[in-house]
């Protein structure tokens, strides 16, 4: 099952934002970033693997 996440903090807690009728916009419920872009992962395991790689690279 695909999972969409915030393009700023990678949180899956995103919701449609005001102005949705004129184009998709999302607000992250964690960092409050408003964006038209989300990142889609194949499943939760792919997201976890990505976040672990990102943490290890830091």
């Amino acid at each position: 099952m695909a999972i969409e996440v915030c393009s700023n903090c990678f949180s899956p807690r995103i919701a449609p934002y005001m102005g949705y009728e004129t184009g998709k916009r999302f607000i992250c419920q964690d960092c409050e970033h408003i964006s038209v872009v989300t990142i889609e992962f194949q499943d939760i395991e792919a997201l976890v693997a990505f976040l672990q790689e990102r943490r290890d690279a830091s």
Side-chain angles (χ1 to χ4, degrees):
M1 177 173 166
I3 184 168
E4 284 185 283
V5 299
C6 173
S7 60
N8 187 52
C9 72
F10 304 105
S11 168
R13 295 175 13 101
I14 56 174
Y17 183 68
M18 193 168 72
Y20 201 72
E21 298 86 18
T22 60
K24 286 186 175 183
R25 291 191 182 166
F26 300 94
I27 185 165
C28 178
Q29 296 174 355
D30 290 324
C31 72
E32 298 182 359
H33 179 74
I34 299 168
S35 178
V36 296
V37 176
T38 60
I39 300 172
E40 187 173 303
F41 289 91
Q42 186 174 359
D43 52 29
I44 193 73
E45 290 81 15
L47 172 59
V48 170
F50 170 79
L51 293 174
Q52 286 175 340
E53 278 184 36
R54 192 167 181 259
R55 182 192 62 192
D56 293 343
S58 296

